[in-house]
Amino acid sequence: MSKPIKKILVILLLLIVLPLGYMFYSQFASIDEYEQNIRSAYLSQLETILFSINQYSEDVLRNWINQSEISQENINRLIKENKSLISIVEIDSSLVDFQISKIDADVFDLGKAIRSNSYLFQRLRNYQKNNYQKLGSIDLDSSKKLIIYANSNDSFSGFIIDKKQFITEKLVPKINSIPAHKFSIVILDFKGNIINEGNSLKNKIDFMKNLWLFPDMKLGIILKGESVDELTKEKQESSLIILLLLLVVVILLSFAGYSNIKKEFELIKMKSDFVDNVSHELRTPLSLINLYSETLSMGRINNDEKKSEYYKIIHQESERLSQLINKILNFSKIENGKSTYNLIKKNLNEIVEQVYGLYSLQLMEKGFELKLNLADTNLFGHFDEAAIKEALINLLDNAVKYSFDNKEITISTGKENKKIFLAIADKGIGISKQNQRKIFEKFFRVSEGDVHNAKGTGIGLTIVMHIINEHNGNIEVESKESFGSTFKLSFPVINQEE
Ligand code: ADP
């Protein structure tokens, strides 16, 4: 890899890695923020709901307070109507005497519970003095609670309630009445087990809050459908997919950009080689023409045989020059889209025979054996005669240039699979599989091996390919290094009547 290409590669990599790295970082940072936003949105929603449930349980008790104050009859009715209300307690200001409206078989030491919570009674009394009747709660055992409040006459009243019963009787219907499409509200006991729903949901609880009346119990919220974690995970996954897609696109684009730039550099290099090669190709025949014409003009050569040999060289070299100039002009026309072809019905065999007639002697002189295998039948197609001749001459030229020891060239024509073909086979140096794909590209020349010894411009096969395409034809190359190459041109066949 050349230095400038390496530099471009490093710059491209930096251009990809830095912004993408930043994007990955900021995307994941924003996911954290996203999670926090959802959490705080749900948390405030939950707080509102839990507040209303807590408020409701207090309302129930305050309602009981109002009802129980009127008469013993009311107390009896209240206890009868509310299964969760076990009994009502009246406690005197000294906290020593107390009366229970109804006591069932459950054993608990109410006196001890009252005395050991004297600080709570004190606090409730203080609230009362400030005209606020606050509720306090005392655990009697794992299932019963005493909810107390201070009266205006310094005494206290209280309700002994069954927690579980209170929850199922009062709170669950309240919870069920809350329209909750997107979440369920659950109540958890002191062990963390769900009371009002299946315990399997235990691990899915998104947020929890304590119940005011029963601080050892909790209210929880479970998001239906997707939990916050699931939502965040989903967001994370979709961000990751988008980023990965982006990464793939950026990599593909930069790969395309890189290979384009690489191609451009290669083209620049090939163009400069082309200029060198053309200059060399021009200089050689020119200096030969110069040398022999000068020698002849000085009248130093008296031998007729030598003279005609020199004239022949001058003729051959000027031929070579005009061929090269024609080749470059034709290539330039193709490049500028100015080449035109006049396709008319012709017999391919005849065109090939004419080229063979012109070249066989020349090639024989160069030590080549030129074989001709023409099809027995006429091969009619639509051809631009001059262009087909040019293609054939270019291929013959290459066969000569790239054959060193085994100087045998065969031209064949024929009909195959409803096509007519023309094949030029040599036993020269051959072309590697890898290079077979590139030889038709403009300015491309195989740069390794013996090929260096043969001069060329790298445009001959580009011209051939263009000519064949303009004939709706096809070109195939079959070659093996050190064994030779066959270039096969095929064209659509036409009927004799056409
Ligand atoms: P050039 O002027 O270099 O011959 P071409 O376009 O005609 O340009 O050919 C491109 C390259 O293909 C050549 O440089 C040569 O490496 C390879 N090539 C073409 N024809 C043959 C052949 N018959 N045998 C071996 N190599 C060939």
Side-chain angles (χ1 to χ4, degrees), residues 1-12 258 261-262 264-266 268-269:
M1 208 187 287
S2 70
K3 258 194 172 174
I5 295 186
K6 257 188 199 165
K7 242 186 200 168
I8 289 168
L9 190 66
V10 171
I11 292 171
L12 273 178
Y258 167 70
I261 291 169
K262 198 173 154 215
E264 282 303 313
F265 268 88
E266 280 167 2
I268 290 169
K269 162 100 180 43

Side-chain angles (χ1 to χ4, degrees), residues 398 401-402 426 431 439 444-446 451 456-458 460-461 485:
N398 282 350
K401 271 197 295 191
Y402 304 113
D426 64 53
I431 309 159
I439 51 176
F444 179 83
R445 305 201 69 224
V446 175
V451 90
T457 51
L461 287 181
S485 317

Side-chain angles (χ1 to χ4, degrees), residues 25-37:
Y25 168 77
S26 57
Q27 195 62 34
F28 283 101
S30 79
I31 281 172
D32 266 359
E33 209 177 295
Y34 173 80
E35 188 178 356
Q36 270 169 17
N37 285 345

Side-chain angles (χ1 to χ4, degrees), residues 429-432 434-435 438 444-453 481:
I429 58 172
I431 309 159
S432 69
Q434 195 192 357
N435 284 329
K438 299 183 182 168
F444 179 83
R445 305 201 69 224
V446 175
S447 51
E448 64 268 8
D450 292 342
V451 90
H452 263 314
N453 304 336
E481 280 174 290

Side-chain angles (χ1 to χ4, degrees), residues 195-362:
I195 298 173
N196 60 327
E197 297 250 1
N199 211 25
S200 58
L201 296 171
K202 206 164 131 182
N203 299 329
K204 295 192 170 173
I205 296 172
D206 284 289
F207 306 104
M208 279 189 288
K209 282 268 161 184
N210 284 348
L211 265 170
W212 296 346
L213 275 185
F214 315 119
D216 57 336
M217 301 184 99
K218 288 185 164 60
L219 280 172
I221 214 160
I222 298 169
L223 294 177
K224 282 182 191 161
E226 286 165 309
S227 69
V228 171
D229 282 347
E230 280 165 347
L231 280 172
T232 317
K233 205 172 151 214
E234 201 175 81
K235 161 101 176 158
Q236 216 165 5
E237 276 170 4
S238 64
S239 304
L240 201 69
I241 289 171
I242 291 171
L243 277 176
L244 284 179
L245 280 178
L246 206 70
L247 185 70
V248 170
V249 170
V250 170
I251 286 178
L252 285 179
L253 283 180
S254 26
F255 185 74
Y258 167 70
S259 57
N260 256 352
I261 291 169
K262 198 173 154 215
K263 261 200 185 132
E264 282 303 313
F265 268 88
E266 280 167 2
L267 200 64
I268 290 169
K269 162 100 180 43
M270 285 198 289
K271 267 185 185 163
S272 109
D273 287 352
F274 169 75
V275 174
D276 282 355
N277 290 335
V278 169
S279 320
H280 179 87
E281 292 269 288
L282 289 174
R283 211 178 299 126
T284 319
L286 270 178
S287 52
L288 284 175
I289 292 169
N290 203 14
L291 176 75
Y292 288 106
S293 56
E294 200 181 338
T295 315
L296 285 168
S297 68
M298 286 165 101
R300 283 200 202 132
I301 312 289
N302 297 323
N303 181 334
D304 281 351
E305 211 177 305
K306 263 263 173 304
K307 264 189 194 168
S308 72
E309 189 193 326
Y310 283 12
Y311 281 128
K312 199 172 165 193
I313 291 173
I314 291 170
H315 176 71
Q316 268 175 4
E317 292 307 311
S318 49
E319 263 303 294
R320 214 169 113 187
L321 265 183
S322 70
Q323 252 180 34
L324 180 65
I325 289 165
N326 278 340
K327 205 178 195 178
I328 295 167
L329 286 177
N330 283 345
F331 175 71
S332 153
K333 269 191 196 162
I334 290 172
E335 282 289 279
N336 296 323
K338 284 184 181 158
S339 57
T340 48
Y341 297 92
N342 183 20
L343 303 187
I344 46 175
K345 186 180 166 186
K346 284 265 167 200
N347 180 358
L348 182 65
N349 282 341
E350 276 172 23
I351 304 175
V352 175
E353 261 176 329
Q354 284 174 30
V355 176
Y356 178 81
L358 277 173
Y359 275 78
S360 57
L361 202 68
Q362 247 185 60

